[in-house]
Amino acid sequence: MVCNAKFATSGQPILMSSSISFQPPRKLRVFAFDPATGNRHAHRNIREMTISVPWELDPVQRDRPFIGPDGEYLQVVDYDPASGAFYEPIDLNASEVLFNDGLEPSEENPQFHQQMVYAVAMDTIASFEEALGRVVLWSPQSRYRDRMEDRYVGKLRIYPHALREANAYYDPNKKALLFGYFTAPDNSRSAPPGTTVFTCLSHDIVVHETCHAILDGMHPKFVENSNPDMLALHEAFADIVAIFQHFSHPQVLKDQIAKTRGDLERQNLLGALAQEFGQALGHAGALRDALGEVVGGVWQTRPPDNTALDRAKGPHARGAILVAAVFRAFLSIYKSRVADLFRIASSGSGILREGEIDPDLVNRLASEAAKSARHILRMCIRAMDYVPPVDVDFGDYLRAIVTADHDLFPDDDHCYRLALIEAFTAWGIVPDGMPVVSEKALLWPELRDAVADDLHLDTIKTLEADFGVLIARPDEIFQDFRNRVAGNASNRLISRLETIKGRIGDRLNESFGGATSVSTERRARVRFTKDQILQRNLLGSELSNDREVAFLARQFYSQMFWGIITGLEDTALHRVIGITLDPNVKRTIEPSPMNDLAKVWVHSVRMASRIGRRGQTESEYVVEIIQSRNGYFDTEIQALADAGKRTALNRLWKVKYGDRPLRRDFRYRAGCTLLIDTRSFEIRRVIRTKFRADEDAGLDRLRQHLMQSSASVPNAFDGPGSDAHKHDNAFAMLHRHVKRGQF
């Protein structure tokens, strides 16, 4: 991507994307819901809509083969494996396309299908970047035996016609969204039987699958079936975003407000997902509905049930409960915000007269609904920075939502947090072992509360001071780290850090070198040297630099932070933040190749920026630390492996399992998320998993969960392999091994 540079008083260039700085948003037409919904006479006014997406496509070079749309974040590849055909790509920069806000929505035109998936996916990405205050990165291509060789993935590929089946999914190995198409069966209630249904033309399905990819980029271990809620959270989160994206489109929102007379508890399109897809497969209504369901041919609201989770089996059933709780909280907030409007419009009774409501009232109600939905959506997205890095359940997610919002908006004027707590508890979603569920009790602890005494304050201050220097002047910490480490393994680490530093410099120089508004002489004068690269806060300028620099900076800071925490000798503080570095720990926690300590992975050091109610920017660093332990279903084998008794382990394995290769059955992961203030570098909060990696209680809980899961109906994450709770193509299997037609 071409970048332009402005110059600070220090003479250092501040890189800014030219597409962001100088280009207006691109407008593209899409189906508001899906073709079948839009083709109904009752929905004729919301058949299509125009959305604005960031301008991030480079011009098409006519002398080269073109696949597209092709931009910084996404690449649409319209290849149909079933027919062996490539469909002609659309050039969204063509003048006739630009002039008409894209192609007209069409079920028959593959080029519009490309436009649809690109526009909706980019709109979803923009929502995340606005909520998180940083760029979206896709999960890297990893060499799992060596985490430091993670390879940057710039573009998520989208295949609009990848599957000839009623399915769509995100493939984390291919870093791609794959959409299917199928023939509507005889019992179809939407598309006529025998016609073709394209999942890529469902707004909800495109948003849902894009969310899977974004969340996988943030938390790659969320694809592991570590507890009954983990997979359900992935599904529910994608549904929540898809539902609340409906409220960001004024034309759709006003139409539904008018038809329901402002009563959004009545059946409407806003709380439903994938109408065409669900009904094409014979469902009475939408594929999923946050408000209710069709019972005996009649749609009914679904009242809260605090015992529903006890009966719900599988990710989709459990996820639907979380979605219902979030949407119920939204309805409560919406009703409180519009109560005065209903009183004014009804002369104080609160009951509107019969007939259509006034257009001015529709506009006001729609405005309040949009504000409420936008805030709820941002709360749900921001909460993903406030969860443990692994093994999250619904109770943890509630705590994350409440804490993230409390830290940004302490006053909570409209009682958003109270509404969410009330809705979650009504559906039986509460943190384990919490005797009193209140806002104060739900807040994640501050570090000093977790320490509970003053014995480790000096170590904490040292850790915070080192982190502050690492962020502001990474060159100083890097030099200190080089002086402290020794040995071949550590030298390899230093070599890799040098490599990352060089790649950052090359990328910065390449980006700045492409700036058309800067003279060749000045470009040469301000080129970065290797030493200059680490004399700046690379995380603080993430939105100005390109995304590869952001990826490399996070990788560099993560490995340097590993050096800081492994250099601490306060083992009690290590336990407070949820890890162990004891070299004599259970042998199923493998030793690090860099030292003699237990292996620890600093998954991410990233920055989050949010806008508060007074317009102020609130920023913090999010550090995620993960530790893993090898697990075995056989407890006798586990005990010998923990003790490191290799000879006895091999002998017992041979007796029990013959020539079957000795290997773990699953991985048990634990860890913590640290939230660090960007100004003081104080560690504000520590968000731990319920158990540490060396605690048998957590391992036993996971073992029991996996054994119960494997005894039930197969799902996405059960199956052959060295890790029983992870499948190579988890999302594909998740969407197939459920009731037919559950994307």
Side-chain angles (χ1 to χ4, degrees):
M1 169 179 275
V2 175
C3 293
N4 284 293
K6 295 183 178 181
F7 290 86
T9 54
S10 64
Q12 294 288 352
I14 303 174
L15 300 180
M16 303 182 68
S17 165
S18 60
S19 61
I20 296 174
S21 302
F22 302 105
Q23 293 285 6
R26 180 190 299 275
K27 294 185 177 181
L28 293 170
R29 289 186 286 175
V30 298
F31 282 117
F33 291 96
D34 50 54
T37 302
N39 288 338
R40 294 174 186 167
H41 188 264
H43 302 146
R44 62 191 181 278
N45 294 328
I46 53 171
R47 180 178 185 271
E48 65 178 76
M49 62 185 178
T50 301
I51 59 178
S52 298
V53 299
W55 191 288
E56 57 97 49
L57 294 176
D58 290 330
V60 175
Q61 299 185 27
R62 300 297 179 184
D63 58 337
R64 297 182 181 179
F66 170 57
I67 296 177
D70 188 2
E72 182 182 353
Y73 291 80
L74 303 171
Q75 182 184 59
V76 180
V77 182
D78 204 354
Y79 174 66
D80 183 350
S83 60
F86 274 100
Y87 294 107
E88 182 180 356
I90 181 175
D91 180 4
L92 292 178
N93 290 323
S95 57
E96 64 275 13
V97 176
L98 289 172
F99 183 78
N100 292 297
D101 293 339
L103 300 178
E104 179 182 358
S106 167
E107 298 173 67
E108 300 84 10
N109 187 352
Q111 289 187 313
F112 171 73
H113 297 194
Q114 301 161 19
Q115 174 180 302
M116 174 89 181
V117 294
Y118 172 80
V120 175
M122 280 303 303
D123 189 38
T124 307
I125 292 168
S127 294
F128 274 81
E129 293 193 340
E130 183 180 28
L132 297 174
R134 63 174 181 270
V135 296
V136 163
L137 295 178
W138 312 119
S139 64
Q141 292 286 3
S142 299
R143 295 181 184 175
Y144 290 105
R145 294 181 181 177
D146 191 344
R147 294 289 176 184
M148 296 166 198
E149 293 297 323
D150 287 354
R151 183 166 61 84
Y152 171 68
V153 175
K155 302 178 184 184
L156 179 74
R157 286 189 168 183
I158 304 180
Y159 295 85
H161 308 107
L163 313 166
R164 191 165 288 184
E165 60 180 89
N167 199 7
Y169 59 86
Y170 159 63
D171 188 324
N173 298 319
K174 295 180 179 178
K175 309 301 176 188
L177 306 184
L178 287 76
F179 294 93
Y181 61 95
F182 62 98
T183 301
D186 293 339
N187 63 343
S188 171
R189 299 180 179 222
S190 57
T195 61
T196 303
V197 177
F198 296 95
T199 62
C200 68
L201 296 183
S202 168
H203 187 281
D204 298 333
I205 294 179
V206 177
V207 175
H208 180 99
E209 302 307 335
T210 305
C211 286
H212 278 316
I214 294 174
L215 187 54
D216 189 50
M218 294 177 65
H219 297 290
K221 298 308 174 192
F222 277 21
V223 300
E224 294 182 346
N225 183 20
S226 57
N227 66 63
D229 289 343
M230 192 69 264
L231 312 185
L233 179 60
H234 230 298
E235 284 295 295
F237 181 74
D239 280 354
I240 288 167
V241 177
I243 285 175
F244 286 106
Q245 283 288 87
H246 294 163
F247 291 83
S248 65
H249 305 300
Q251 181 180 347
V252 171
L253 180 56
K254 291 177 184 178
D255 177 86
Q256 293 298 291
I257 290 282
K259 287 178 177 175
T260 60
R261 293 166 48 81
D263 182 6
L264 294 181
E265 286 192 278
R266 294 167 54 184
Q267 185 179 16
N268 62 77
L269 296 177
L270 299 172
L273 285 172
Q275 291 84 1
E276 178 187 47
F277 187 75
Q279 292 175 10
L281 294 170
H283 296 202
L287 183 62
R288 292 195 281 275
D289 195 318
L291 266 173
E293 57 192 342
V294 177
V295 179
V298 179
W299 186 88
Q300 299 177 1
T301 57
R302 187 186 304 111
D305 180 355
N306 61 10
T307 66
L309 271 178
D310 297 332
R311 301 187 303 273
K313 304 297 181 184
H316 291 93
R318 296 184 71 84
I321 294 172
L322 178 59
V323 175
V326 172
F327 200 76
R328 180 62 55 181
F330 159 73
L331 288 175
S332 178
I333 295 163
Y334 165 73
K335 287 196 292 186
S336 70
R337 292 186 67 132
V338 300
D340 59 336
L341 298 177
F342 277 95
R343 287 194 299 271
I344 294 170
S346 62
S347 301
S349 70
I351 302 174
L352 299 177
R353 61 176 175 77
E354 295 296 324
E356 295 184 1
I357 61 177
D358 188 275
D360 290 334
L361 179 58
V362 169
N363 291 336
R364 288 295 310 280
L365 292 174
S367 175
E368 295 299 326
K371 290 177 184 176
S372 301
R374 182 167 58 250
H375 193 90
I376 288 288
L377 177 58
R378 289 176 179 174
M379 289 174 74
C380 291
I381 293 175
R382 287 196 297 261
M384 285 301 175
D385 278 339
Y386 277 67
V387 292
V390 291
D391 195 27
V392 181
D393 60 27
F394 289 171
D396 295 332
Y397 188 54
L398 172 59
R399 298 189 71 177
I401 294 174
V402 171
T403 308
D405 195 66
H406 172 273
D407 288 354
L408 187 59
F409 303 111
D411 296 333
D412 193 21
D413 295 337
H414 293 284
C415 297
Y416 283 90
R417 296 192 290 274
L418 180 61
L420 278 159
I421 294 170
E422 180 182 56
F424 273 60
T425 54
W427 277 104
I429 302 174
V430 294
D432 292 338
M434 184 171 286
V436 177
V437 181
S438 65
E439 179 176 328
K440 184 175 181 181
L442 288 167
L443 297 177
W444 289 115
E446 296 184 356
L447 178 62
R448 284 161 178 77
D449 294 332
V451 171
D453 57 49
D454 296 332
L455 296 179
H456 311 288
L457 289 183
D458 289 341
T459 307
I460 293 173
K461 290 177 182 177
T462 299
L463 176 59
E464 292 171 344
D466 285 349
F467 183 78
V469 177
L470 171 63
I471 293 296
R473 289 294 302 264
D475 56 327
E476 295 183 13
I477 291 291
F478 182 59
Q479 188 58 46
D480 178 66
F481 192 50
R482 293 186 62 172
N483 294 336
R484 284 192 290 110
V485 300
N488 292 334
S490 296
N491 288 336
R492 288 199 302 271
L493 174 61
I494 292 295
S495 175
R496 285 166 183 157
L497 288 170
E498 290 277 14
T499 299
I500 296 173
K501 184 174 69 169
R503 289 175 61 192
I504 292 174
D506 292 343
R507 188 63 190 171
L508 285 171
N509 289 324
E510 180 183 340
S511 299
F512 185 66
T516 57
S517 61
V518 181
S519 68
T520 303
E521 179 183 355
R522 175 161 289 186
R523 287 178 206 156
R525 214 167 47 234
V526 298
R527 286 185 64 83
F528 297 94
T529 66
K530 285 189 176 182
D531 292 334
Q532 290 173 331
I533 293 165
L534 299 187
Q535 295 174 4
R536 58 177 54 224
N537 181 351
L538 293 170
L539 295 180
S541 57
E542 180 171 302
L543 287 174
S544 299
N545 297 330
D546 73 16
R547 293 167 57 245
E548 186 171 1
V549 172
F551 168 79
L552 293 170
R554 294 184 198 178
Q555 196 176 48
F556 187 89
Y557 280 114
S558 295
Q559 294 176 29
M560 290 298 296
F561 189 78
W562 174 88
I564 291 176
I565 62 170
T566 56
L568 295 175
E569 297 181 355
D570 193 334
T571 57
L573 181 62
H574 289 152
R575 296 174 72 83
V576 168
I577 62 176
I579 62 173
T580 178
L581 294 175
D582 186 349
N584 298 316
V585 74
K586 292 179 172 67
R587 296 306 186 215
T588 44
I589 300 179
E590 299 173 359
S592 170
M594 302 303 165
N595 50 38
D596 295 328
L597 305 177
K599 185 185 294 185
V600 171
W601 178 34
V602 180
H603 161 245
S604 179
V605 177
R606 59 182 184 262
M607 188 173 181
S609 297
R610 295 86 183 246
I611 304 299
R613 183 159 287 130
R614 300 186 308 277
Q616 82 281 10
T617 300
E618 299 289 345
S619 301
E620 61 195 350
Y621 298 107
V622 183
V623 179
E624 294 180 340
I625 307 169
I626 299 173
Q627 195 160 42
S628 301
R629 178 179 172 187
N630 293 333
Y632 300 86
F633 290 128
D634 188 317
T635 55
E636 288 185 282
I637 296 293
Q638 184 75 55
L640 291 174
D642 286 339
K645 297 180 178 179
R646 191 72 183 181
T647 301
L649 174 62
N650 288 330
R651 186 183 303 118
L652 181 61
W653 184 274
K654 183 77 172 177
V655 170
K656 289 193 171 190
Y657 304 107
D659 294 331
R660 175 181 161 191
L662 172 59
R663 62 180 184 181
R664 66 175 180 265
D665 293 311
F666 59 93
R667 278 190 187 273
Y668 167 56
R669 303 188 197 274
C672 76
T673 298
L674 301 177
L675 302 177
I676 303 177
D677 186 87
T678 56
R679 291 180 287 268
S680 66
F681 301 109
E682 176 183 353
I683 300 174
R684 294 195 309 104
R685 298 193 185 276
V686 53
I687 303 171
R688 282 181 38 185
T689 52
K690 294 175 177 60
F691 304 98
R692 296 187 307 274
D694 61 337
E695 292 185 286
D696 291 337
L699 182 77
D700 293 342
R701 189 188 69 157
L702 176 57
R703 180 188 294 114
Q704 182 179 7
H705 168 66
L706 292 175
M707 293 177 71
Q708 290 174 344
S709 297
S710 61
S712 63
V713 177
N715 61 45
F717 302 87
D718 296 327
S722 59
D723 290 322
H725 63 321
K726 187 176 187 296
H727 191 282
D728 283 344
N729 204 347
F731 295 96
M733 299 302 294
L734 176 64
H735 290 176
R736 287 193 178 114
H737 285 212
V738 290
K739 185 183 297 183
R740 183 171 179 263
Q742 288 276 29
F743 71 86

